[in-house]
């Protein structure tokens, strides 16, 4: 078309400017959406990873592979710390560990005592206890003390060690002048919730009362 008074090129220039503005807006919008899309993909990946570990933990529990179950539930929580299902199953494992400890201690002839934690409950509302089992003469000159779950999350391994000692005749092998005090789950809250600290956020290994002072 002929250039008559510059009208056509001016109109085209205005259209081109508007087109460039629209394109810039679209590009900017896409750039803003990309991080949000990445966040959603990351959340989906974390959720899937956590769920995979959780399901593997359930399978391990059915097979009575409790160490494997604990490992998988803890991996699920590492992937997604807000996984209520993994927290709940680990709480069930605390309750099972307590039942096994009390049963093994009673079978071995121990004097059992229990202290209820009045300030906290487990993930499923279960009661939390510190349990002790004492063996040997009341006036024993020496005393072996075994404590589990000072750091709550470590209670799974510690409880397993105590139960194994009880079930394999440990109390019967004590020297005549030696007694044993087994303290199970000194931090039952941390044990049940898979946390290092107590319900008051206290690390018992670093914040404790020195009764000698």
């Amino acid at each position: 078309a002929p250039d008559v008074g510059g009208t056509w090129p001016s109109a085209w220039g205005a259209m081109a400017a508007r087109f460039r503005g629209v394109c810039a807006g679209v590009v900017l919008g896409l750039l803003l959406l990309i991080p949000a899309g990445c966040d959603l993909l990351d959340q989906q990946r974390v959720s899937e990873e956590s769920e995979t570990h959780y399901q593997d933990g359930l399978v391990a529990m059915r097979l009575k592979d409790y160490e494997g179950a604990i490992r998988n539930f803890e991996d699920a929580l590492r992937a997604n710390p807000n996984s209520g299902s993994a927290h709940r199953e680990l709480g069930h494992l605390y309750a099972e560990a307590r039942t096994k400890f009390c049963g093994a201690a009673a079978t071995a002839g121990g004097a059992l005592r229990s202290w209820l934690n009045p300030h906290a409950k487990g993930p499923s509302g279960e009661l939390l206890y510190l349990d002790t089992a004492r063996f040997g003469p009341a006036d024993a000159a020496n005393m072996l003390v075994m404590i589990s779950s000072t750091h709550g999350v470590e209670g799974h391994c510690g409880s397993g060690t105590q139960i194994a000692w009880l079930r394999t005749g440990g109390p019967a092998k004590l020297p005549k002048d030696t007694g044993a005090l087994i303290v199970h789950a000194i931090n039952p809250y941390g044990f049940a919730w898979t946390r290092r600290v107590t319900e008051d956020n206290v690390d018992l290994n670093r914040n404790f009362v020195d009764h000698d002072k």
Side-chain angles (χ1 to χ4, degrees), residues 26 30 98 192:
V26 170
L30 289 173
R98 179 175 185 251

Side-chain angles (χ1 to χ4, degrees), residues 139-163:
D139 59 349
N142 304 296
M143 182 65 68
L144 169 67
V145 179
M146 284 191 280
I147 302 173
S148 67
S149 194
T150 302
H151 289 152
V153 67
E154 297 163 3
H156 300 287
C157 297
S159 173
T161 301
Q162 292 173 329
I163 293 168

Side-chain angles (χ1 to χ4, degrees), residues 3 39 64 95 128 142 199 202:
D3 183 2
D39 287 343
K64 299 188 182 301
L128 304 176
N142 304 296
E199 65 274 11
V202 173

Side-chain angles (χ1 to χ4, degrees), residues 23-39:
C23 289
V26 170
V27 170
L28 179 60
L30 289 173
L31 289 174
L32 291 173
L33 286 173
I34 287 173
C38 291
D39 287 343

